[in-house]
Amino acid sequence: MKRIIIDIDIQNIIEIVKKRKGRLSAFFAKYMIKEETIREEVERRVVDEIQKGLETNLKIRLHQEGIKARVDVRQSNPPTASHND
């Protein structure tokens, strides 16, 4: 079985919050909530959308090409490095 791995590191989190929720929410997000918490939520939503698109479009394209395949699109978090200091 072959795999495709896609790593996503979003670079403009605050701009995304501004666009989606307005400037006031972006202000609060920047100064009241940890940036890492906001980053995790934005990345989760982006990955959800990518997953939905892949599931739908890949199945359609494979069918159009006459390819019978089992396609499993799933999310996983990269393993975190643990240090024994």
Side-chain angles (χ1 to χ4, degrees):
M1 175 186 321
K2 297 295 180 189
R3 294 178 188 234
I4 296 173
I5 299 171
I6 301 171
D7 291 321
I8 299 172
D9 181 16
I10 299 173
Q11 302 294 309
N12 62 336
I13 299 294
I14 298 301
E15 289 83 3
I16 292 170
V17 173
K18 283 182 188 176
K19 183 177 180 182
R20 301 286 183 192
K21 303 261 183 178
R23 294 189 185 276
L24 186 58
S25 293
F27 172 79
F28 285 122
K30 186 173 183 179
Y31 296 105
M32 306 297 260
I33 301 172
K34 291 181 183 177
E35 185 174 343
E36 189 59 33
T37 302
I38 297 166
R39 173 176 298 283
E40 288 173 4
E41 179 64 18
V42 170
E43 286 180 349
R44 184 189 61 78
R45 290 182 182 199
V46 168
V47 170
D48 287 347
E49 289 301 314
I50 291 171
Q51 181 179 6
K52 287 177 194 173
L54 282 172
E55 286 173 342
T56 302
N57 295 322
L58 188 56
K59 288 177 184 177
I60 290 169
R61 291 292 297 148
L62 290 172
H63 180 73
Q64 289 173 343
E65 296 294 327
I67 299 169
K68 293 181 182 179
R70 182 174 43 93
V71 178
D72 180 25
V73 180
R74 63 179 177 252
Q75 297 179 33
S76 69
N77 292 322
T80 57
S82 60
H83 300 288
N84 295 329
D85 293 325

